[in-house]
Structure formats: C-alpha cells, structure tokens
C-alpha cells in the first residue's frame, strides 16, 4: 500500500509559489502510489497555542478549530510536507502556529517518519531559507522517530506563480516521486 502523505501549504496567497511547488511534490507522490491530501491554511480558523499543556494529558487540544482537525491528520500521516513562503528569513507565522498546535502529537504514537520542507523566497541565496529549515528541524527533534527527509527551496520568485517553469518544480516532483 502507498504511503499516506499530508501536505500542509501555509501561504495565504492565491497562486502561491510554495503551494505550486507543494502541488508538484504531491503529483509526484501520487504517481508513486501515495495517498495524498493537500491542506491549505489559507482561510482556515487557526488560533495560537495557549500553552496550557492540557493536551499532554488528553492527547487533544482544548481549542476546537481547524488546527485541531489538522493535528489529528498529522498524527495518522506517514509523511508530512510543509510548504512556506520565507517571511523575514523565517517560516511563515501560519506554519509556526500550526507546528505549535501540533503539541498534542508529542504524547501520541504518531505515524510520521519522513518530513519534507518546501520554501519560496524573493532572494536567491542559500542563507535566505536556513533559519526556516532550522526551525522545522527543531520541531522534528521533538519527534525522535521522524527525520527531515528532503528540502526544496526556490529563490528569485517574488510575484505569485513566478515559480512556474523553474527547475525547482521538477525537483519537487522528483522528491515526491521518490518518497
Ligand atoms: C511579509 C513578507 C516578508 C518577506 N520576507 C522575505 C525575506 O526575508 N526574504 C526573501 O527573500 N523574500 C521575502 N519575502 C518574499 C516572499 O518570500 C516571496 O514573495 C515568495 O515567493 C512568497 O511565497 P508564496 O508565493 O508561496 O507566498 C517576503 C514577503 C512578505 C509578504
């Protein structure tokens, strides 16, 4: 049976570059026989973690919003893919908030092993996305059975859809295909 892949796209923008890359990853993963679900955080109701730690006893967040539902999907997925625009040399606030709201996972027998990272930015330098990658690595460190399995970064894209035709799209597809 194919892997159960959950793609979380965190850009709020229509025609998002990071989302287009994530879609290519998803297409590759589907071609490889994966069961793929893509969730965009755009228009989702996602509140900040309250830091109450109730989830560490109950395995579920006390806040009933979309992040609560997404966190439950994260628990069951074999593969997690996070796609983000680079905002001020970091991951988007939406992505960070979703990672924080994944706190109930800490106490569960989560299924995910491979985590992938996809990012897009206006500047095309290695350092532009390193903090964002490092932030995700910090989250993954809290889940010892998981690892950062691959990254796709596309720099030099400012306007929506600029990523179309970029070789990073091929890289994203191939990465999904080779899950
Ligand atoms: C608030 C904000 C901060 C940004 N900060 C950076 C940055 O630090 N470095 C950079 O190269 N691009 C930066 N950008 C540009 C975006 O990363 C770029 O437009 C990217 O293509 C957006 O991805 P998306 O289409 O998936 O939303 C910023 C854009 C916004 C709106």
């Amino acid at each position: 049976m194919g892997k159960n892949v959950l793609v979380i796209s965190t850009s709020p923008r229509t025609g998002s570059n990071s989302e287009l890359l994530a879609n290519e990853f998803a297409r590759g993963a589907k071609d490889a026989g994966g069961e793929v679900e893509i969730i965009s955080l755009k228009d989702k109701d996602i509140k900040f973690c309250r830091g109450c730690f109730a989830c560490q006893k109950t395995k579920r967040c006390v806040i009933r919003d979309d992040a609560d539902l997404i966190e439950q999907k994260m628990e069951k997925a074999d593969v997690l893919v996070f796609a983000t625009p680079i905002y001020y040399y970091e991951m988007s606030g939406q992505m960070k908030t979703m990672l924080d709201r994944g706190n109930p996972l800490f106490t569960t027998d989560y299924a995910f092993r491979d985590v992938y990272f996809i990012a897009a930015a206006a500047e095309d330098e290695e350092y532009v996305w390193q903090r964002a990658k490092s932030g995700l690595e910090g989250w993954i460190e809290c889940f010892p059975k998981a690892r950062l399995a691959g990254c796709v970064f596309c720099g030099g894209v400012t306007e929506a859809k600029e990523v179309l035709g970029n070789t990073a799209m091929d890289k994203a597809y191939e990465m999904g295909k080779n899950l």
Side-chain angles (χ1 to χ4, degrees), residues 105-166:
L105 293 167
F106 199 65
T107 59
T108 66
D109 186 21
Y110 56 89
F112 57 89
R113 297 292 178 267
D114 288 349
V115 181
Y116 290 86
F117 180 57
I118 293 172
E123 295 164 84
D124 193 12
E125 303 289 344
E126 248 336 83
Y127 70 83
V128 172
W129 63 288
Q130 293 306 313
R131 288 184 184 89
K133 179 186 166 205
S134 170
L136 180 60
E137 284 171 332
W139 187 81
I140 293 169
E141 257 181 55
C142 301
F143 299 96
K145 288 181 282 184
R147 64 171 187 137
L148 183 62
C151 301
V152 179
F153 170 67
C154 184
V157 290
T158 304
E159 302 302 325
K161 296 189 185 171
E162 260 192 273
V163 77
L164 293 174
N166 193 294

Side-chain angles (χ1 to χ4, degrees), residues 69-86:
L69 303 174
I70 295 168
E71 180 274 323
Q72 290 172 54
K73 288 176 186 278
M74 286 169 74
E75 184 187 336
K76 293 182 186 74
D78 303 311
V79 178
L80 296 177
V81 183
F82 292 97
T84 183
I86 295 297

Side-chain angles (χ1 to χ4, degrees), residues 20-94:
L20 287 167
L21 290 165
N23 290 344
E24 276 304 277
F25 185 104
R27 193 168 67 84
K30 276 182 203 158
D31 285 353
E35 284 284 316
V36 184
E37 182 175 4
I38 305 173
I39 297 178
S40 168
L41 300 191
K42 185 167 55 162
D43 303 327
K44 293 283 188 300
D45 173 26
I46 296 182
K47 298 191 173 60
F48 295 127
C49 172
R50 291 181 192 159
C52 68
F53 285 115
C55 63
Q56 302 304 293
K57 287 188 187 133
T58 64
K59 300 184 194 295
R60 191 172 176 194
C61 188
V62 293
I63 308 169
R64 295 288 176 265
D65 63 359
D66 290 321
D68 170 47
L69 303 174
I70 295 168
E71 180 274 323
Q72 290 172 54
K73 288 176 186 278
M74 286 169 74
E75 184 187 336
K76 293 182 186 74
D78 303 311
V79 178
L80 296 177
V81 183
F82 292 97
T84 183
I86 295 297
Y87 284 173
Y88 293 100
Y89 303 109
E90 255 292 2
M91 68 179 75
S92 65
Q94 304 83 263

